[in-house]
Amino acid sequence: MTPSDRFDFLLRMGDSTLVLAQRLSEWVGKGPVIEEDIALTNVGLDLIGQARMWLSYAGEVEARGRDEDALAFRRDAHEFRNALLVEQPNGDYAETMARQFLFDHWHLLALKAMERSRDERVAAIAAKSSKEVAYHVERSTDWVIRLGDGTDVSHRRMQDAVDGLWMFAGELFLPDAVDAAAREAGVGPDLAALAAPWRSAVGAALAEATLTMPGDDWAQRGGRQGRHTEHLGHLLTEMQFLQRAYPDAKW
Amino acid sequence: MWRVLAAIPDPEIPVVSIVDLGIVRSVAREEGGVVVRVTPTYSGCPATDWILAAIRDELAAIGVPDARVEIQLAPAWTTDWMAADAKRRMREFGIAPPGCAVAGSPSAVDVRGISPLRHTGVVVPCPRCGSARTRLTAQFGSTACKALYRCDECLEPFDYFKPH
C-alpha cells in the first residue's frame, strides 16, 4: 500500500467522522428537549475525538507537515474524502436520526473489522472508537424504532427520511482502488463484505420500527473520491471560518 | 511519583483520582527523563488536555521538571480498570458506578415519553436510595461517559457511569 493510498484511506475515516460531528454540533441549543441536545453533542464529541486521531495519523503518513488542524481547516471541499451520507443537512429530527442510524451501523462494522488491521495504529484507533460507536448504534437504532413505531406523523417522517437518505448509504459498500489497496495490505476492511451484515442489522431495526426498507439500491457515489453534494461547501464555510479569517489563531 | 499522580482528581468527578480511573498506564524513567503514559477514557473527552497538563505541573512541583506525558491508545481504556474503592466513592458522590447494573426490568417509559423502547434486561440501582425502580432518561448525561437516569422511588435524577 503506497503512502498516498494510506493517506487517502485515513482521510476517508477522519473526514466522515469530522463532517458528521460538525453536522451534530449544528443542533447545539436547538435540540427538541435538553436531554437530546446533550446526547447529540456528546455523540459529536466522540466523533471529533476520533477524527483527531485519524487526521493526526493521516498528517504523519503524508509527511508534509500538515497536522490535524491544517487538514481540518485548510482544505477545500474537493479535498475532503467523507462519505456523501454524513454531509447531508440535518433536516428534521427524523432525518438527523436516520442519517446517524445508517452511518452508525456501517461505522461499527468497519471499525470491528479494522480492530484486526495489520497497521497497529489503525487497529488501536478502531478499538478505541468501536466502544464509543457501540453506544451510538444503540441510541440511533432506538430512535428509529421509537419514531417509526410512533405516531402517524413520526412514522411518515421517519419513512421519508430513510427513503431520502438511502441512495447515499450504498457508497459505503462500493470499494475503489484505494479501498482495494487497503484491503489487500490488511489495513482496511473489505467494504463489500460489510453490506450483508449491515442490511441484516438495519433491516431488523426497520422491521421493528414498522418501516419499509427501500427497494431501489441505486447508489449516489463520489464523496470518498472528493466529488461532493453542494451541502459540503456550506458546512465548511462555517466550520473553517475562524481559521480562514484568522490563520493560526489559538485559544 | 505514583503517589503524586494519585492525588490529581478527575476534573469532572473530584472524588476519584486519575489513577483510580485507570488511565495512568505507566510511569517510567527512560533515557531523557520521566515518561508518563496515559490512555484517554473517551477519545473526545475535553478533560484530557487538562489532565495531561496537571500531570506535568504536579511532577514539576516535586522536582521532575521535564516529564514527558504521552497518549497511549492501545489497549483501549475500560471501566474494568477502575479501582473498586473508587466505585464506592463514586456511589457515595451520587453517581451509579460502572458494573452496578443487575438483572431486572426497568420502568417502561419516561415521563415525557422520550426514552427508548427497547430494554437490555438490566436495571441500574439508584445510588442514593438503592431502589431498583429506575428508568433511563438519555444515554448521555453531563459527560460522554455517563448516562442520565431517574429514580422512581426517591424521584431524584442521577448519572450512571457507563461500562466501557
Side-chain angles (χ1 to χ4, degrees):
Chain A
M1 188 178 191
T2 64
S4 155
D5 281 346
R6 194 178 299 254
F7 174 64
D8 244 12
F9 167 77
L10 295 167
L11 277 189
R12 290 170 179 193
M13 292 309 299
D15 288 346
S16 281
T17 44
L18 176 64
V19 168
L20 184 54
Q22 176 68 18
R23 277 290 183 229
L24 293 177
S25 77
E26 292 170 9
W27 273 105
V28 174
K30 299 181 199 161
V33 290
I34 193 164
E35 291 85 354
E36 278 309 301
D37 205 300
I38 291 168
L40 275 179
T41 326
N42 271 305
V43 174
L45 200 57
D46 282 347
L47 292 170
I48 284 183
Q50 295 167 17
R52 291 183 63 182
M53 296 192 284
W54 292 120
L55 293 180
S56 292
Y57 185 29
E60 290 168 34
V61 167
E62 187 195 32
R64 280 175 46 203
R66 291 201 282 183
D67 63 5
E68 56 187 89
D69 285 342
L71 288 171
F73 297 122
R74 306 253 179 104
R75 281 180 299 148
D76 206 346
H78 67 276
E79 296 165 284
F80 270 74
R81 294 289 180 268
N82 59 280
L84 297 171
L85 177 64
V86 296
E87 72 197 37
Q88 299 311 306
N90 285 339
D92 62 15
Y93 213 64
E95 286 173 86
T96 290
M97 291 327 296
R99 182 186 64 200
Q100 194 71 34
F101 165 73
L102 299 176
F103 181 75
D104 286 347
H105 278 276
W106 174 84
H107 198 193
L108 187 60
L109 289 167
L111 291 171
K112 284 284 174 202
M114 277 187 272
E115 286 181 13
R116 299 185 300 274
S117 174
R118 266 185 227 153
D119 182 325
E120 278 182 19
R121 183 87 166 263
V122 168
I125 298 172
K128 180 98 202 116
S129 304
S130 74
K131 296 178 114 187
E132 296 163 1
V133 172
Y135 279 107
H136 302 176
V137 166
E138 192 181 302
R139 208 186 103 75
S140 59
T141 303
D142 276 343
W143 268 111
V144 166
I145 294 169
R146 177 86 194 159
L147 293 175
D149 189 18
T151 65
D152 288 346
V153 174
S154 74
H155 176 87
R156 175 174 54 75
R157 287 194 178 205
M158 186 48 86
Q159 185 69 60
D160 287 349
V162 170
D163 291 347
L165 290 166
W166 195 254
M167 67 173 169
F168 296 113
E171 170 187 49
L172 296 167
F173 307 97
L174 296 173
D176 67 1
V178 171
D179 300 310
R183 193 192 118 197
E184 279 156 27
V187 171
D190 179 352
L191 289 183
L194 302 182
W198 182 84
R199 281 189 76 91
S200 143
V202 162
L206 291 176
E208 196 177 340
T210 71
L211 295 165
T212 308
M213 186 189 268
D216 185 356
D217 282 338
W218 177 80
Q220 189 73 258
R221 60 191 299 192
R224 301 166 71 256
Q225 291 79 30
R227 299 188 306 278
H228 293 278
T229 59
E230 66 175 292
H231 306 297
L232 182 65
H234 294 279
L235 177 144
L236 294 182
T237 57
E238 185 166 315
M239 186 178 88
Q240 298 181 332
F241 168 79
L242 196 90
Q243 284 296 324
R244 298 283 192 189
Y246 306 97
D248 299 321
K250 296 251 182 293
W251 284 107
Chain B
M1 281 183 281
W2 277 101
R3 202 168 334 134
V4 172
L5 299 180
I8 300 176
D10 177 273
E12 304 278 2
I13 311 166
V15 291
V16 299
S17 80
I18 59 172
V19 172
D20 288 334
L21 275 178
I23 64 172
V24 181
R25 302 314 299 157
S26 66
V27 182
R29 282 184 197 281
E30 293 181 8
E31 222 170 299
V34 169
V35 181
V36 180
R37 293 197 173 80
V38 175
T39 189
T41 52
Y42 281 62
S43 53
C45 179
T48 307
D49 286 342
W50 184 92
I51 290 170
L52 301 187
I55 291 172
R56 276 188 290 267
D57 291 350
E58 292 302 320
L59 289 179
I62 58 158
V64 187
D66 298 318
R68 268 202 339 271
V69 187
E70 291 179 358
I71 294 276
Q72 178 184 319
L73 287 181
W77 177 77
T78 160
T79 44
D80 295 345
W81 295 345
M82 209 180 277
D85 184 56
K87 292 182 183 173
R88 181 185 55 79
R89 272 177 276 133
M90 201 179 271
R91 184 181 292 113
E92 285 166 8
F93 187 62
I95 298 172
C100 73
V102 293
S105 45
S107 306
V109 183
D110 180 68
V111 276
R112 297 196 224 186
I114 57 162
S115 85
L117 287 172
R118 297 172 323 141
H119 294 300
T120 48
V122 295
V123 291
V124 177
C126 172
R128 294 175 200 278
C129 72
S131 169
R133 284 182 55 218
T134 62
R135 64 182 80 210
L136 175 69
T137 308
Q139 287 100 328
F140 291 88
S142 55
T143 61
C145 54
K146 288 175 277 175
L148 192 60
Y149 273 73
R150 209 182 83 123
C151 176
D152 288 343
E153 196 73 41
C154 68
L155 303 180
E156 289 289 331
F158 66 89
D159 275 335
Y160 171 44
F161 200 113
K162 291 176 281 188
H164 198 69

